[in-house]
């Protein structure tokens, strides 16, 4: 079979599309005939290399994929060949105190397919039965592949960790990305007033189409000043910020007293100033969030399957052009997700 791989960390040129043996599923595993995958910023960071990340090379990246069950292990009971499935990429131990308490995202040995473990951007991928969700017949492969990681992450951030209520106000920083455009849709669905930042007129139109009530061009306007102006100097109840160092100080400034910022990542860097004076002075909460539990995935994916939420696809590429997909993410070209299709499926 063919698979996206890299032999070492570096720039786009380390990515290749190579022939590799077809994997055999273990007793609790399922082999998926992959019809589509999707890229995340996590793929970019994994390719570049992360502190403490020690991968067996060559490494196959990719956390999002959907396809048809091809073969199942002897202990698998939920799926059979021919089933349509999508991948959820969090892997937990199942035995630590946090797993036993029902939140595997807090697992002391939590890992993510494509980052710590071999990923799913290949013609065939083997994953644990627990990492699959059934896909209805009327959902296309691009949608099924594009939604799990970003919509699961955004749902947990806003609904579970952020405890968002109808009537509150939310600022989504970086609304054109995968998590950002999912967060806009979820916040609007929850009944919040949604503010969103984006760099171009086209991206702002897309954000409005996703449910944003107010859009801000962060390249020309200080978004914290804009939020203060548009809310009568009150600020918003919640900020969703996965950008990191470049936006965190203004995200804190955008909050109303008693507000909270929820973060799942730091694309521009992980170490901004803490802003402690603003945090204690305005009694703010800074909340971290990672991925989603199986139940949270089920909740949000059911709303994708029925059409309530819809991923926006900025470009669909053959897997052999995955390096171009990384460029699209790094250069912030377009709005929404980048989908990659095995060359044999095109």
């Amino acid at each position: 079979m063919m698979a996206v791989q890299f032999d070492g960390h570096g720039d786009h040129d380390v990515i290749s599309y190579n022939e590799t043996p077809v994997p055999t599923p273990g007793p609790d595993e399922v082999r998926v005939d992959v019809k589509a995958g999707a890229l995340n910023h996590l793929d970019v960071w994994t390719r570049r290399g992360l502190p403490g990340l020690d991968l067996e090379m060559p490494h196959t990246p990719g956390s999002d994929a959907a396809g048809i069950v091809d073969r199942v292990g002897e202990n698998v009971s939920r799926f059979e060949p021919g089933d349509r499935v999508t991948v959820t990429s969090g892997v937990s131990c199942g035995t630590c105190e946090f797993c036993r308490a029902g939140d595997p995202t807090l697992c002391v040995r939590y890992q993510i397919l494509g980052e710590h473990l071999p990923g799913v951007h290949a013609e065939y991928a083997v994953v644990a039965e627990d990492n699959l969700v059934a896909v209805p017949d009327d959902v296309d492969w691009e949608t099924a592949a594009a939604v799990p990681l970003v919509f699961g992450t955004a749902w947990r951030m806003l609904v579970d960790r952020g405890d968002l209520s109808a009537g509150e106000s939310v600022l989504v920083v970086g609304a054109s990305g995968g998590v950002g455009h999912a967060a806009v849709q979820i916040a609007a669905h929850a009944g919040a007033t949604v503010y969103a930042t984006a760099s171009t007129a086209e991206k702002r139109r897309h954000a409005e189409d996703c449910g944003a009530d107010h859009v801000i061009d962060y390249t020309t306007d200080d978004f914290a000043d804009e939020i203060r102006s548009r809310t009568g100097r009150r600020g918003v109840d919640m900020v969703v910020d996965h950008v990191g160092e470049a936006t965190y100080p203004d995200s804190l400034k955008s909050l109303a007293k008693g507000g909270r910022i929820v973060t799942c990542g730091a694309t521009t860097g992980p170490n901004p100033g803490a802003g402690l004076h603003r945090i204690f002075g305005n009694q703010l909460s800074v909340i971290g969030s990672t991925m989603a539990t199986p139940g949270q995935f089920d909740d949000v994916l059911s709303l994708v399957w029925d059409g309530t939420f819809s991923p926006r696809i900025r470009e669909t590429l053959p897997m052999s052009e995955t390096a171009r997909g990384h460029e699209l993410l790094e250069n912030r070209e377009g709005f929404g997700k980048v989908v990659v299709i095995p060359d044999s499926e095109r």
Side-chain angles (χ1 to χ4, degrees):
M1 71 170 190
M2 300 298 290
V4 179
Q5 293 183 327
F6 54 79
D7 287 311
H9 299 296
D11 208 342
H12 311 118
D13 58 359
V14 303
I15 301 172
S16 58
Y17 194 53
N18 300 325
E19 189 168 351
T20 189
V22 177
T24 301
D28 301 307
E29 294 179 324
V30 174
R31 187 166 71 198
V32 178
D33 180 356
V34 174
K35 302 301 180 183
L39 295 177
N40 297 282
H41 271 284
L42 180 60
D43 297 306
V44 173
W45 292 116
T46 303
R47 186 206 77 222
R48 291 176 179 173
L50 292 163
L53 188 63
D54 185 16
L55 298 175
E56 182 178 344
M57 298 293 180
H59 177 72
T60 295
S63 303
D64 278 329
I68 298 173
V69 172
D70 172 70
R71 183 173 172 181
V72 301
E74 60 189 36
N75 296 336
V76 172
S77 59
R78 292 175 49 230
F79 300 100
E80 59 185 28
D83 286 348
R84 292 164 51 91
V85 294
T86 191
V87 174
T88 64
S89 54
V91 178
S92 57
C93 72
T95 59
C96 71
E97 61 176 301
F98 302 105
C99 288
R100 294 197 308 274
D103 195 340
T105 68
L106 298 174
C107 176
V108 296
R109 290 181 287 279
Y110 195 72
Q111 295 179 302
I112 298 175
L113 298 174
E115 179 185 8
H116 312 95
L117 301 170
V120 292
H121 287 175
E123 290 182 315
Y124 292 90
V126 166
V127 300
E129 176 184 24
D130 290 343
N131 285 97
L132 293 176
V133 175
V135 175
D137 290 341
D138 61 347
V139 175
D140 63 82
W141 291 124
E142 288 83 357
T143 294
V147 294
L149 190 146
V150 295
F151 276 85
T153 297
W155 182 265
R156 178 176 173 85
M157 289 176 75
L158 277 77
V159 176
D160 180 78
R161 300 289 289 148
D163 195 23
L164 181 62
S165 299
E168 291 192 300
S169 52
V170 177
L171 167 64
V172 179
V173 178
S176 66
V179 170
H181 93 294
V184 169
Q185 294 182 56
I186 292 167
H189 177 70
T193 299
V194 184
Y195 297 81
T197 70
S199 60
T200 69
E202 181 182 13
K203 290 179 181 179
R204 293 191 293 277
R205 285 194 297 271
H206 280 301
E208 289 176 326
D209 183 55
C210 286
D213 300 291
H214 308 274
V215 292
I216 299 168
D217 182 353
Y218 68 84
T219 67
T220 60
D221 300 315
D222 183 298
F223 72 79
D225 288 345
E226 280 294 303
I227 290 293
R228 288 290 173 184
S229 174
R230 298 188 192 195
T231 60
R233 301 201 61 77
R234 176 186 182 274
V236 296
D237 298 298
M238 180 190 296
V239 175
V240 176
D241 188 334
H242 54 90
V243 179
E245 285 183 19
T247 55
Y248 175 81
D250 279 341
S251 291
L252 287 183
K253 292 178 186 177
S254 299
L255 286 169
K257 288 183 178 293
R260 64 257 194 222
I261 178 172
V262 188
T263 179
C264 68
T267 304
T268 60
N271 297 306
L276 292 179
H277 65 295
R278 194 175 298 276
I279 291 172
F280 67 70
N282 291 334
Q283 301 186 61
L284 308 177
S285 299
V286 179
I287 304 168
S289 188
T290 294
M291 302 293 284
T293 66
Q296 290 159 2
F297 275 121
D298 288 343
D299 288 343
V300 72
L301 290 180
S302 69
L303 293 170
V304 175
W305 304 154
D306 72 10
T308 300
F309 301 141
S310 176
R312 303 312 196 258
I313 308 299
R314 68 177 80 181
E315 192 156 345
T316 300
L317 300 168
M319 279 190 179
S320 59
E321 296 179 19
T322 294
R324 171 58 183 152
H326 281 229
E327 282 187 314
L328 288 168
L329 294 183
E330 290 178 291
N331 297 334
R332 299 193 297 277
E333 298 178 44
F335 186 97
K337 296 281 288 182
V338 176
V339 170
V340 289
I341 307 290
D343 289 36
S344 58
E345 295 290 334
R346 293 175 65 86

